[in-house]
Amino acid sequence: MSSLRKLFGDYRSLVGAVGRMSNKNSVLWFCSSAKEENQIEKKDKKLSKAMQAYLERATKYNEFMKKERDAYEIGKRHLANMMGCDAETFSQEQIDEAIEYLFPSGLFEKKARPFLKPPHLVFPAKKDAEFDETGRPYHFLFYTGKPNFYSILHEGYHLLKTLNDMDGGKKVGSKLTDVFEPLDISGSKWLDLKELEKQLVEPINKYEYANFINIMERLSSHKRAYAVKEFIMKNRRLLMDKQMSFEPTQPLIDTDGRKYVLTRDCPRKTARADVKVISPGTGLISINGKNIEYFSSMHARKQILFPLDLTGLRDSVDIEATVRGGGQTGQSGAIRWGISWGLRCFVSPDMFETMRLAGLLQRDYRRPERKKPGQAGARRKFTWKKR
């Protein structure tokens, strides 16, 4: 009997221990789950205010760019349909030609003319996030305010120091090849201030730009600069070979069997001229139905005769010009450019190169500077009197 009571007491103690352990485990499980939930909430709250503001701006920017891309695609399809082309293969060059044909504009300023381009070419790019979710910056130069700009200066200085160490015979643990050769950078120029700002997506003042040019000039003039050619050319812009656009065209033949070249809308300031150069001729010059005395200014007459005298074709071709708008300077400049553009089809290659070097084939884009408010003119100021 006593043995049964003892066995029953051991059983009750075992059940109680199991119950206590199960209660303890349930409490532990509840505490651990609550702790995990708190950690998740804290993790969600770890987003800094700066990161939240960036995410809001990025969302708005992405939505705006999506709407602009959709509008661009719709406009592209409309233009393709009007021109009778396939919208899927309608290139940007065809878009520009279609706009110029369907919406002709006499505005001189190109920015004021209608255009249709992809949104990423029209609207400025936005900088990506420069810090993580906790607000810690990615770049070690973040607190300079212009990390992209100062990283270029830092890398340029590091490369210059490496080249100097290589030149001094020091062992340099660098991947640069030991090339003893200068770098030819002709045919290119350094990025100007606006181009550099667009590339870095950061505002830069003139003082900082001068520092950029200084370090780049020192780096490019080093006798081992060829080893860092990739870094140097990344900050330079290739100049266009304008001689290719000056290539002469094939002259047409009129009813009399003479060759002629007609150049329309020759521009200079607000003047526009249509110039016809006929060869062979007798030196006849007709401007709006009058001879060269149409211009009372001797300077304007010399502008007309200069390309004819330079090429030696003054008595060998006839000139017929119709000019409108502007004054004598603008009209004579427009006619001179039209004459030069027509004469290039009747001269030898050597004379063609001489005309190009003389600047006869290059359009003159200069315009009068506008008057400023509060001033007597573009640069002229009112007389200041103290009393």
Side-chain angles (χ1 to χ4, degrees), residues 334-356:
I335 295 175
R336 188 187 83 155
W337 187 76
I339 293 174
S340 304
W341 205 247
L343 289 177
R344 66 195 173 116
C345 304
F346 303 109
V347 297
S348 63
D350 293 338
M351 181 55 65
F352 174 82
E353 184 67 16
T354 303
M355 292 177 65
R356 188 185 70 83

Side-chain angles (χ1 to χ4, degrees), residues 118-312:
H120 68 275
L121 298 178
V122 179
F123 301 101
K126 298 290 184 181
K127 294 181 71 173
D128 294 332
E130 300 176 330
F131 38 81
D132 58 14
E133 296 178 351
T134 63
R136 180 174 297 177
Y138 295 131
H139 205 286
F140 72 101
L141 293 172
F142 172 78
Y143 291 104
T144 61
K146 302 174 183 179
N148 294 339
F149 172 73
Y150 284 105
S151 63
I152 287 183
L153 297 188
H154 179 269
E155 185 177 359
Y157 170 77
H158 175 71
L159 293 175
L160 183 62
K161 185 176 181 299
T162 303
L163 294 180
N164 290 334
D165 292 343
M166 292 169 61
D167 198 28
K170 296 182 181 180
K171 292 184 178 180
V172 181
S174 174
K175 296 181 181 179
L176 298 179
T177 56
D178 191 6
V179 180
F180 192 80
E181 183 179 351
L183 178 64
D184 182 16
I185 56 175
S186 59
S188 61
K189 58 178 290 188
W190 297 114
L191 297 175
D192 58 28
L193 183 59
K194 292 184 178 180
E195 291 172 339
L196 187 61
E197 286 180 338
K198 186 176 180 181
Q199 176 175 302
L200 301 179
V201 201
E202 290 175 350
I204 300 170
N205 57 41
K206 294 182 179 179
Y207 175 75
E208 293 168 337
Y209 181 71
N211 291 335
F212 165 78
I213 294 297
N214 184 23
I215 189 69
M216 290 299 167
E217 290 288 353
R218 292 178 59 186
L219 194 61
S220 61
S221 61
H222 199 280
K223 51 187 176 182
R224 295 180 184 269
Y226 194 84
V228 292
K229 177 182 178 181
E230 183 178 355
F231 175 75
I232 293 175
M233 298 308 297
K234 187 171 60 175
N235 297 291
R236 293 183 67 86
R237 178 171 59 86
L238 295 176
L239 297 175
M240 295 178 63
D241 186 9
K242 303 208 173 192
Q243 185 175 356
M244 297 302 295
S245 62
F246 296 151
E247 289 297 327
T249 58
Q250 191 67 26
L252 302 177
I253 300 177
D254 60 9
T255 56
D256 298 332
R258 297 191 300 174
K259 296 181 179 179
Y260 73 94
V261 176
L262 177 61
T263 308
R264 297 185 180 277
D265 290 331
C266 305
R268 175 70 177 99
K269 294 185 179 179
T270 58
R272 296 294 182 271
D274 298 333
V275 182
K276 186 177 183 181
V277 180
I278 307 171
S279 178
T282 58
L284 177 65
I285 298 177
S286 174
I287 303 173
N288 287 350
K290 301 179 182 179
N291 56 16
I292 197 172
E293 294 181 356
Y294 171 84
F295 294 108
S296 59
S297 171
M298 294 300 297
H299 176 73
R301 297 180 184 180
K302 290 180 181 179
Q303 290 287 312
I304 301 295
L305 297 176
F306 176 66
L308 298 171
D309 293 336
L310 180 66
T311 57

Side-chain angles (χ1 to χ4, degrees), residues 3 8 53 72 88 101 103-104 114-115 118 121 123 130 143-144 149 158 273 351-353 371 375 380 387:
S3 61
F8 183 71
Y72 169 77
E88 301 298 332
Y101 174 74
F103 309 103
F115 66 91
L121 298 178
F123 301 101
E130 300 176 330
Y143 291 104
T144 61
F149 172 73
H158 175 71
M351 181 55 65
F352 174 82
E353 184 67 16
K371 179 188 177 299
Q375 297 181 186
R380 184 180 177 84
R387 293 180 181 87

